[in-house]
Amino acid sequence: MTKKTFQAPRGTRDLLPDDQVYFDYLNSTFKNVVKAAGFRQITTPAFEDTNLFVRGVGKETDVVDKEMYSFVDKSNNSLTLRPEGTAPIVRSYLENGMQAWPQPVKLYYTMSMYRYDRPQAGRYREFWQYGLEMIGDKDPFADVMVISTAYRFYQKLGLADHITLQLNSIGCQKCRPKYIKELTSFYKENEKKICNNCKSRVESNPLRLLDCKEAKCQALIEEAPQVINFLCTECHDHFKKVLELLDEINVTYEINPRLVRGLDYYTRTVFEFWTDRDGSQNALCGGGRYDNLVENFGGKSTPALGFAGGTDRTIEFIKSHPEIEILESRKVDIFVVQLGNEARKNCLKLLSSFWDEEVAAEGGLDKEGISGQLSHANRLQAKYALIIGQKEAYDQTVIIKEMASGNQETYPLDKIVKEIKKRLK
Ligand code: HAM
């Protein structure tokens, strides 16, 4: 009887070494950009108290209502695998006394997230986000700093020409209720024209009506009242300043009055970066202000904002642009080829010397002949093969073979590490 084989759970996948090259490249580019802007790294637990997300993200959102991986542990605590990073980071801000740190507190993260979503290209149940949060700054400068940091990151990835910044303001606790009232009555008047999902959203989460992808709802969305026309003076001035500052630094944007985001904590500025590819998974990142969340979690009133991007989705987008080069595609710099017992010993010593110097080196320590080892070096895309045959082992020398040109020369063994480091520079 054949034994059952196992598969990764639906919506998850293995990140194989070739995928990892992209993940490392994206994460290190992100880290370089955000560290230069003064953000420091935070990692929160993979699971949290379920109520953190219910209260923070909102009971009526898809994320909380349909997508959470929740479980009860052996002590009867209800816990949830984090579906997003903002609520946990605000929890950590309060729990670790960060209100007493110099404000704003600027944090970044690269973490896995879990949502029971319908898997498709660019959408997984376990996925990764790169993101940042800036807590304790109410000024429109902060909005522009966060948005332009995201933009700079996409520029560094070579994606700037293929994305657009979508921008909106959804007001505050003062002005939004008036808009919601208007929106709700508009939808009630048109109830016959909308899908069943939207019928329940009219009461539970009216802002999400503007996000419906059903064809029959799309036409109505065009006619619906726009939140931007209901902003109070403070929200209006804040948004105007954000636009002016973006103009100032030449970051172009599209004002999108339908952009509302799927999580309940947002106030004022919301934004997403969209790709120029068709399809529903075209948001590389999303974010905005959440000026009430710290207070909602029991802290004193503290303005905050941030964004998070989908690592998997961004990588898929990079891959769809083959002209974008990933720097670390060469896997090893050096491959040491050896023949005979003495040569094997030298090979091992030489590899250790390279590794001490953090030069990526591998060697043919098995019994394969020279041509087998050289073709292995080729497969690994090594830049140089260093060949130690019986004669070289006796002379304490090594042959340097440049793999691209095939050029060879003999070099003293004790000087080879220094020489190779020089050439690799
Ligand atoms: P979000 O829009 O829910 O925002 O997620 C941010 C990004 O994560 C999306 O734009 C998308 O690229 C990626 N993403 C979301 N769901 C999936 C999925 N199932 N598979 C693959 N990628 C996905 C947030 O999470 C907020 N916490 C962002 C934020 C930070 N707002 C303020 N600070």
Side-chain angles (χ1 to χ4, degrees), residues 84 86 115 117 122 124 129 133 261 265-266 283-284 306-308 310:
E84 63 101 49
T86 309
R115 295 185 191 177
D117 232 329
Y124 302 94
Q129 282 187 344
E133 311 294 343
R261 310 275 302 129
Y265 46 62
Y266 290 108
L284 287 188
F307 78 86

Side-chain angles (χ1 to χ4, degrees), residues 70-100:
S70 301
F71 57 97
V72 176
D73 73 1
K74 290 188 167 56
S75 314
N76 234 2
N77 300 309
S78 174
L79 300 168
T80 293
L81 294 182
R82 60 176 173 229
E84 63 101 49
T86 309
I89 287 170
V90 171
R91 192 255 320 126
S92 173
Y93 174 86
L94 290 169
E95 186 176 341
N96 294 295
M98 294 187 211
Q99 304 107 300

Side-chain angles (χ1 to χ4, degrees), residues 24 74 125 265 283 388-389 405:
D24 288 351
K74 290 188 167 56
R125 290 181 175 172
Y265 46 62
I388 312 175
S405 63

Side-chain angles (χ1 to χ4, degrees), residues 255-307:
I255 297 178
N256 180 344
R258 321 280 167 209
L259 187 74
V260 287
R261 310 275 302 129
L263 315 162
D264 275 0
Y265 46 62
Y266 290 108
T267 51
R268 293 195 169 168
T269 317
V270 288
F271 69 94
E272 290 184 353
F273 276 95
W274 288 1
T275 68
D276 51 12
R277 238 182 0 189
D278 286 344
S280 54
Q281 311 309 315
N282 65 351
L284 287 188
C285 80
R289 275 203 168 268
Y290 48 93
D291 288 342
N292 303 324
L293 191 57
V294 176
E295 198 176 2
N296 180 15
F297 281 174
K300 66 174 200 294
S301 170
T302 309
L305 73 163
F307 78 86

Side-chain angles (χ1 to χ4, degrees), residues 51-335:
N51 272 324
L52 179 84
F53 301 112
V54 175
R55 211 158 93 199
V57 174
K59 210 160 85 200
E60 306 293 349
T61 59
D62 282 353
V63 168
V64 170
D65 186 33
K66 302 186 187 139
E67 297 171 2
M68 293 213 295
Y69 277 94
S70 301
F71 57 97
V72 176
D73 73 1
K74 290 188 167 56
S75 314
N76 234 2
N77 300 309
S78 174
L79 300 168
T80 293
L81 294 182
R82 60 176 173 229
E84 63 101 49
T86 309
I89 287 170
V90 171
R91 192 255 320 126
S92 173
Y93 174 86
L94 290 169
E95 186 176 341
N96 294 295
M98 294 187 211
Q99 304 107 300
W101 295 8
Q103 305 291 302
V105 172
K106 294 159 79 177
L107 302 167
Y108 80 87
Y109 51 96
T110 58
M111 301 195 292
S112 57
M113 304 290 164
Y114 304 87
R115 295 185 191 177
Y116 190 78
D117 232 329
R118 199 161 38 82
Q120 52 183 275
R123 200 199 275 171
Y124 302 94
R125 290 181 175 172
E126 181 188 51
F127 61 98
W128 274 258
Q129 282 187 344
Y130 49 87
L132 55 82
E133 311 294 343
M134 183 166 172
I135 307 179
D137 197 331
K138 65 175 182 349
D139 204 280
F141 269 96
D143 304 42
V144 172
M145 171 162 178
V146 165
I147 294 170
S148 63
T149 302
Y151 181 68
R152 192 170 315 113
F153 169 57
Y154 295 125
Q155 261 180 329
K156 290 269 185 247
L157 291 179
L159 298 177
D161 292 342
H162 308 287
I163 55 173
T164 59
L165 166 59
Q166 304 286 313
L167 202 57
N168 195 15
S169 172
I170 58 167
C172 67
Q173 275 170 326
K174 209 168 97 189
C175 52
R176 206 184 309 155
K178 202 165 141 215
Y179 170 66
I180 297 293
K181 210 168 142 204
E182 197 78 15
L183 186 68
T184 314
S185 67
F186 170 82
Y187 269 90
K188 279 187 178 154
E189 279 163 29
N190 291 287
E191 207 162 5
K192 289 202 184 79
K193 298 185 194 160
I194 57 180
C195 70
N196 284 340
N197 234 339
C198 282
K199 279 183 186 140
S200 63
R201 280 184 187 138
V202 175
E203 292 303 336
S204 65
N205 196 351
L207 266 191
R208 299 295 290 165
L209 290 162
L210 301 176
D211 222 19
C212 185
K213 304 282 180 291
E214 291 281 329
K216 65 194 281 196
C217 299
Q218 288 285 318
L220 209 59
I221 290 174
E222 289 304 312
E223 293 166 27
Q226 300 185 354
V227 61
I228 209 144
N229 298 324
F230 289 77
L231 298 182
C232 59
T233 315
E234 290 87 345
C235 287
H236 175 270
D237 292 351
H238 185 98
F239 194 48
K240 190 162 163 259
K241 189 82 195 160
V242 170
L243 301 183
E244 279 168 16
L245 289 168
L246 286 171
D247 289 337
E248 196 81 33
I249 57 167
N250 296 322
V251 175
T252 50
Y253 51 82
E254 277 174 26
I255 297 178
N256 180 344
R258 321 280 167 209
L259 187 74
V260 287
R261 310 275 302 129
L263 315 162
D264 275 0
Y265 46 62
Y266 290 108
T267 51
R268 293 195 169 168
T269 317
V270 288
F271 69 94
E272 290 184 353
F273 276 95
W274 288 1
T275 68
D276 51 12
R277 238 182 0 189
D278 286 344
S280 54
Q281 311 309 315
N282 65 351
L284 287 188
C285 80
R289 275 203 168 268
Y290 48 93
D291 288 342
N292 303 324
L293 191 57
V294 176
E295 198 176 2
N296 180 15
F297 281 174
K300 66 174 200 294
S301 170
T302 309
L305 73 163
F307 78 86
T311 311
D312 317 72
R313 207 174 276 188
T314 309
I315 288 173
E316 277 159 33
F317 191 57
I318 293 175
K319 285 184 176 169
S320 72
H321 286 278
E323 75 279 6
I324 296 173
E325 254 183 67
I326 294 296
L327 297 176
E328 282 113 320
S329 59
R330 186 158 38 75
K331 292 169 188 99
V332 298
D333 290 316
I334 303 300
F335 192 93

